[in-house]
């Protein structure tokens, strides 16, 4: 199998699972008792890696096309599709063929998915780019053992991307050459370009104790800074050099956006190109976040990159960007004063210490334009992870933990490798990891009315040399922290401008940050991986999660009813359907980035309530009516 076909097969199997979970596909049990493929036998059930069993299913599509695959059901009514099990059969075919082209699946299912004309073309284009990016990743895919010992920033280039979104690496706007230069899968460091923008257009913010001059002294060596100053003094036509704000710009953004949309400002001297700095950066999965690999103690930089990836364009909204340093200051002040967060758990906040946002003089005044035209130029400086690690400590992205080498679907995951190397039992390792993650997040939610965006790429597991969990760190505050919609005393200490930017939600919606990003967004995958790798029963996995959730109120002598506001223990929860929103493609040109998202469809059993994480009778109709509500930002990152 070629690498591209191997990547296509991975995406097909993910698509069958996630679109079935979202009820876009409606597979039914397969009664073709003589169906065999890839060595998987049986009329209705078949052995899969790890010795567990899946049922055979058939997906009937228009024009007589059938997809057959093996899958089992898991928490939140999810589907776990067996690798290499899916085949496609169309009228006239002599025999089924391996299903390894997701574009064919989309075309076969276009009527079911509601895709026609321009939207079908857009989805197929984005899907092709996603498969190409996966093929690029597979060409140098490490083993789970190698990934678990890899530098955190280097490992970012080997991750599979958003676990639920099928078109997760479309990166609309990148050419093939751009993918080879700027995609994390390429593993190629890049250099940023620096610009100076007159303060009529640019605003700078930072945390207390820092200044623009001090920041530039940290980020640029004396020789580079002197050269940039001389260039600015020679080209500035809007006053002195002190009247300008400096910021780094991603090279793609410099070519595609600054050089075009800001052509008039470059000509007038309101924006001045200073040149390229010597430091090299590696992109994270988000593309716009860059880690300095030349000087690892210098800040990570989050830049505007006006490509569309998954549900949003990857620019930087002015209000959120400028709020970052104040939100960082506020979160730190709350954390420092709380002994559980700062002492017992040492919950890490990778702060956004400085920010620049640039308002385009023309597009910035036209509020009806799509939001991407208001997010074209800006930067955030974030504390680098490396400076927070003590000697002997290691860092793993939570997004890396379910990883296993694609060419070895039966091989162990990073999770299994970490547990095996720790000297702990699987239950002891998980109990520690769940406590370190969930107790602080529950404390922030219940005590302070704060919800982060704790998806896998934003969470870091800090371990000792043997991969035993020690603590957890989190990042992405400017566009990933929301507040409870009722008054909490600590909210009054948040600066007015940042407070005005923060979105506020009732408890049940604020708690979706945990359900969408942690429980359904990560733990449902962990449970399946560990059942396959270590034979850990999924019911036991969720028992360990519930122990932490139920234990939090008890340690503070809080009544169990404290969770009622957040509906954490409800029998069922809303099903979050990111692919439905993505495939519909209706929000890409909205004027307000935070305008209503339609990401919920029906309800699913809540594994925090029930001891059984699996649910049968998947083929029946959804008993709940479709719910359309505004979605907290945790769904969209």
């Amino acid at each position: 199998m070629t690498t591209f076909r191997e990547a296509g097969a991975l995406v097909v199997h993910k698509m069958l699972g996630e679109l079935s979970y979202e009820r876009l596909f409606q597979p039914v049990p397969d009664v073709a008792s003589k169906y065999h493929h890839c060595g998987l036998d049986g009329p209705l059930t078949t052995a899969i890696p790890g010795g567990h069993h899946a049922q055979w299913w058939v997906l009937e599509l228009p024009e007589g096309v059938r997809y057959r695959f093996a899958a089992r059901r898991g928490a939140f009514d999810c589907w776990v599709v067996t690798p290499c099990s899916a085949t496609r059969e169309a009228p006239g075919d002599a025999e089924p063929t391996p299903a390894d082209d997701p574009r064919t699946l989309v075309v076969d299912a276009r009527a079911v998915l509601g895709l026609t004309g321009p939207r079908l073309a857009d989805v197929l284009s984005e899907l092709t780019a996603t498969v190409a990016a996966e093929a690029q990743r597979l060409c140098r895919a490490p083993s789970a053992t190698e990934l678990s010992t890899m530098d955190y920033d280097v490992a970012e280039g080997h991750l599979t991307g958003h676990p639920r979104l099928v078109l997760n690496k479309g990166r609309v706007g990148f050419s093939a050459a751009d993918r080879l230069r700027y995609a994390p899968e390429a593993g190629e460091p890049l250099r940023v370009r620096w610009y100076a923008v007159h303060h009529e257009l640019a605003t700078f913010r930072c945390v207390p104790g820092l200044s623009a001059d001090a920041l530039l002294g940290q980020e640029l060596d004396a020789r580079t800074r002197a050269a940039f100053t001389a260039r600015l003094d020679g080209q500035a036509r809007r006053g002195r050099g002190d009247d300008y704000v400096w910021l780094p710009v991603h090279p793609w953004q410099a070519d595609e956006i600054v050089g075009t949309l800001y052509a008039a400002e470059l000509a007038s001297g309101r924006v001045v190109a200073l040149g390229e700095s010597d430091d090299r950066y590696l992109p994270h999965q988000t593309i716009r976040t860059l880690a300095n690999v030349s000087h690892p103690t210098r800040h990570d930089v989050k830049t505007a990159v006006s490509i569309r990836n998954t549900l949003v364009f990857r620019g930087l909204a002015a209000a959120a960007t400028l709020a970052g340093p104040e939100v960082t200051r506020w979160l730190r002040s709350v954390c420092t004063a709380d002994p559980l967060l700062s002492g017992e758990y040492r919950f890490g906040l990778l702060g956004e210490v400085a920010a620049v946002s640039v308002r385009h003089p023309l597009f910035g005044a036209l509020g009806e334009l799509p939001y991407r035209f208001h997010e074209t130029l800006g930067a955030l400086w974030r504390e680098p992870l490396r400076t927070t690690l003590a000697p002997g400590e290691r860092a793993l992205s939570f997004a890396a933990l379910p990883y296993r080498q694609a060419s070895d679907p039966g091989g162990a995951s990073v999770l299994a490798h970490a547990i095996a190397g720790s000297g702990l039992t699987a239950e002891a390792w998980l109990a520690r990891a769940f406590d370190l993650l969930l107790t602080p997040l529950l404390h922030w939610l219940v005590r302070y009315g704060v919800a982060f965006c704790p998806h896998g790429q934003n969470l870091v597991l800090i371990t000792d040399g043997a991969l035993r969990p020690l603590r957890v760190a989190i990042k992405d505050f400017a566009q990933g922290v929301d507040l409870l919609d009722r008054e909490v005393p600590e909210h009054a200490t948040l600066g007015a401008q940042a407070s005005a930017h923060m979105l506020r939600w009732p408890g049940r919606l604020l708690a979706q940050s945990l359900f969408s990003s942690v429980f359904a967004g990560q733990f449902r995958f962990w449970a399946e991986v560990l059942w396959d790798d270590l034979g850990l029963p999924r019911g036991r996995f969720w028992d360990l999660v519930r122990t932490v959730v139920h234990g939090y109120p008890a340690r503070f002598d809080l009544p169990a009813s404290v969770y009622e506001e957040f509906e954490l223990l409800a029998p069922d929860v809303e099903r979050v359907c990111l692919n439905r929103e993505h495939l519909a493609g209706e929000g890409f040109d909205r004027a307000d980035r935070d305008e209503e998202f339609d990401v919920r469809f029906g309800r699913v059993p809540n594994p925090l309530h029930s001891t059984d994480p699996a649910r049968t009778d998947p083929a029946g109709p959804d008993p709940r009516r479709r719910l359309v509500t505004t979605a907290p930002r945790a769904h969209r990152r």
Side-chain angles (χ1 to χ4, degrees), residues 257-601:
I257 301 298
V258 179
T260 55
L261 297 188
Y262 288 86
E265 289 66 44
L266 287 164
S268 69
R270 299 173 86 180
V271 177
V272 176
L274 301 178
E276 193 176 72
S277 59
D278 292 333
D279 288 2
R280 300 190 308 158
Y281 293 81
L282 276 177
H284 284 189
Q285 280 294 315
T286 58
I287 303 294
R288 59 184 172 177
T289 297
L290 308 173
N292 193 319
V293 293
S294 298
H295 294 88
T297 60
R298 289 178 176 171
H299 294 89
D300 290 355
V301 178
K302 187 174 183 179
T303 60
V305 183
S306 299
I307 62 168
R308 194 186 80 222
N309 198 43
T310 61
L311 290 171
V312 294
F313 284 87
R314 298 291 158 173
L316 288 179
T321 300
L322 295 176
E326 169 57 19
V327 174
T328 293
R329 179 209 64 79
W330 179 69
L331 290 172
R332 281 180 173 167
S333 69
V334 173
C335 188
T336 300
D338 189 301
L340 181 140
L341 295 172
S342 61
E344 184 177 355
Y345 283 83
R346 296 186 296 144
F347 188 69
L349 300 168
L350 297 176
E352 293 161 356
V353 299
V356 171
S357 183
V358 176
R359 179 186 59 83
H360 192 284
L362 176 61
F363 299 130
L366 300 173
E368 67 268 30
L369 297 183
Y371 70 85
R372 64 180 180 275
F373 288 97
H374 299 286
E375 303 181 1
T376 52
L377 200 49
L380 271 166
W381 286 266
R382 178 184 292 148
E383 289 178 312
L385 175 65
R386 292 181 184 90
T387 62
T388 70
L389 299 178
E393 290 185 338
R394 298 160 69 176
L396 285 168
S397 168
F398 271 64
L401 293 173
Y403 173 94
R404 61 162 50 94
Q405 195 170 19
S407 60
D408 184 16
S413 62
V414 171
L415 263 172
H417 174 76
I419 291 169
S422 70
L424 301 173
T425 66
E427 293 192 8
W429 194 97
L430 287 170
R432 183 180 296 190
F434 292 158
D435 182 35
L436 291 172
L437 172 63
L438 294 179
T439 299
L441 290 179
L442 289 168
H443 195 58
W444 279 107
L445 180 69
V446 173
R447 172 65 182 81
Y448 299 112
V450 173
F452 295 89
C453 185
H455 60 61
Q457 291 176 15
N458 282 349
L459 290 170
V460 185
L461 179 65
I462 314 296
T463 73
D464 63 14
L467 297 178
R468 289 184 289 262
L470 296 177
R471 54 194 174 89
V472 167
I474 194 168
K475 60 185 178 180
D476 196 7
F477 307 147
Q479 300 187 59
V481 173
D482 293 339
L483 302 177
L484 194 61
D485 66 352
R486 62 172 170 80
E487 194 60 37
V488 176
E490 285 74 14
H491 292 180
T493 64
L494 178 63
Q497 288 183 321
S499 179
H501 151 72
M502 306 288 279
L503 298 180
R504 287 165 169 79
W505 304 95
R508 69 177 185 86
L509 291 180
L510 199 66
Q512 282 292 335
S513 65
L514 289 175
F515 281 110
S516 178
S517 295
V518 177
F519 300 130
Q522 296 181 69
F523 285 179
R524 72 170 164 101
F525 299 100
W526 287 27
E528 304 301 329
V529 164
L530 291 174
W531 194 32
D532 285 341
D533 288 3
L534 303 178
L536 180 72
R538 294 175 296 173
R540 182 57 186 148
F541 177 96
W542 288 104
D543 283 342
L544 294 169
V545 174
R546 280 192 299 276
T547 295
V548 177
V549 174
H550 286 287
Y552 172 77
R555 73 183 298 171
F556 290 100
D557 294 324
L558 299 173
S561 60
V562 72
Y563 284 151
E564 290 180 1
E565 178 181 12
F566 305 99
E567 299 185 9
L568 283 174
L569 306 180
D572 52 27
V573 295
E574 291 171 326
R575 180 195 286 112
V576 174
C577 298
L578 300 181
N579 290 288
R580 281 180 176 269
E581 173 72 12
H582 194 181
L583 292 172
E586 297 174 351
F588 299 145
D589 289 326
R590 58 168 52 97
D592 183 356
R593 172 190 281 271
D594 290 319
E595 193 177 334
E596 180 175 295
F597 271 68
D598 175 10
V599 296
R600 303 197 188 128
F601 186 91

